[in-house]
Amino acid sequence: MIELRPYDSLGGANHGWLDAKHHFAFAGYHDPARMGWGALRVWNDDTIQANTGFPPHSHADMEIITYVRDGAISHQDNLGNRGRTEAGDVQVMSAGSGIQHAEYNLEAQTTRIFQIWIIPDQRGGAPTWGAKPFPKGDRAGRFVVLASGKGDEDTLPIRADARVLGLTLAAGESAEYVFGDNRYGYLVPAKGVVEIDGLRVQARDGAAIRDQASIRVTALEDAELVLVDTAP
C-alpha cells in the first residue's frame, strides 16, 4: 500500500522568518490521522530566511535528523558541539536524556531543510550530535544509507530500528528498495517528479508505504529523494 500525501494537504504555518510545512501533526497543526508513520513521528519541510533561525530550545528522547536541501544550517548546543551542514549533507542529534540546542541560517541565502524525528528504541542515554557529508554523486542511481540504527557502515548512527536513505536519479532512471518484513516507509522527493510503482509523486509530496516487499522509483525528471524505513 502506498498512500500519497500531496504537498498542498500538509499542515503548517508561516512565521515570516520560517515557513514550515508538517507531514505529521506538529505544534499548532493537529490531525489524529497523521500522528506518525511507524516510528517516524515528525517530517517538517522548513524554509528558513537568511540570518534567522531557531533560538536555544530543549529536546529529549528523540532522534532528530536534519537533511539540508538548499543553503546551510549551523548548529550549536550545550555540550559544546558546533557545526555547519551544507546542502545534501546530514546532521543527527540523539536527544537522549536531554539537550539544548540552536539552529541558525547564517547564510546570505534562504536555507531549506527536511527535519525528521524518529522515536528511539529506548528512553534516556547520553545526548550526542554529529554531521557527515554525503556527496550526491555517490548516491546517483542507488539508495544510500545516510543515518542508521541497524549497523550500516559509513552512516550517522541513530538509536532506533530505522534507516534514513538518500537517492538521486536522472530523468528516466530507476532504483529499487527492498524492505524487510513488517516495515513502514515514508518517501519525499526534495526535488523533481517520480513514479513509485506507477504512482506519481511530485516534489515535497509524501508517500506513505506499508505492507510492500519493495518499491521501484522512476524519475520523470531529475530528482533527489529522501526515504525513511522504520519499524512499526
Side-chain angles (χ1 to χ4, degrees), residues 24 26 46 56-57 85 99 103 108 142 155 202 222:
F24 303 102
F26 185 84
D46 291 341
H57 57 284
T85 305
I99 188 170
E103 287 182 303
R142 65 189 183 100
T155 71
Q202 301 190 85
D222 292 354

Side-chain angles (χ1 to χ4, degrees), residues 10-168:
L10 305 181
N14 192 331
H15 303 281
W17 67 273
L18 169 68
D19 186 4
K21 294 293 186 180
H22 309 313
H23 284 261
F24 303 102
F26 185 84
Y29 168 53
H30 302 287
D31 186 342
R34 294 188 180 180
M35 294 303 297
W37 192 249
L40 174 62
R41 177 60 189 86
V42 169
W43 191 310
N44 288 346
D45 180 331
D46 291 341
T47 300
I48 307 165
Q49 296 303 312
N51 298 305
T52 66
F54 301 92
H57 57 284
S58 297
H59 294 282
D61 295 319
M62 195 65 68
E63 304 301 294
I64 299 176
I65 301 98
T66 303
Y67 180 92
V68 183
R69 296 168 46 218
D70 295 295
I73 199 78
S74 293
H75 166 99
Q76 60 188 59
D77 61 43
N78 64 334
L79 303 179
N81 295 308
R82 289 178 176 268
R84 177 178 176 273
T85 305
E86 299 181 348
D89 299 340
V90 179
Q91 66 174 12
V92 167
M93 187 172 70
S94 293
S97 58
I99 188 170
Q100 185 178 79
H101 80 135
E103 287 182 303
Y104 295 110
N105 174 15
L106 301 178
E107 315 303 311
Q109 67 188 86
T110 300
T111 287
R112 296 176 177 86
I113 65 173
F114 289 150
Q115 191 166 94
I116 296 162
W117 296 13
I118 299 173
I119 299 168
D121 292 340
Q122 296 181 335
R123 298 172 63 90
T128 63
W129 175 85
K132 184 176 173 61
F134 289 96
K136 293 182 184 179
D138 292 352
R139 48 192 146 111
R142 65 189 183 100
F143 282 97
V144 169
V145 183
L146 309 175
S148 174
K150 297 180 70 64
D152 297 286
E153 296 182 354
D154 298 322
T155 71
L156 288 162
I158 55 176
R159 302 170 185 172
D161 182 1
R163 289 187 175 104
V164 180
L165 305 105
L167 167 69
T168 60

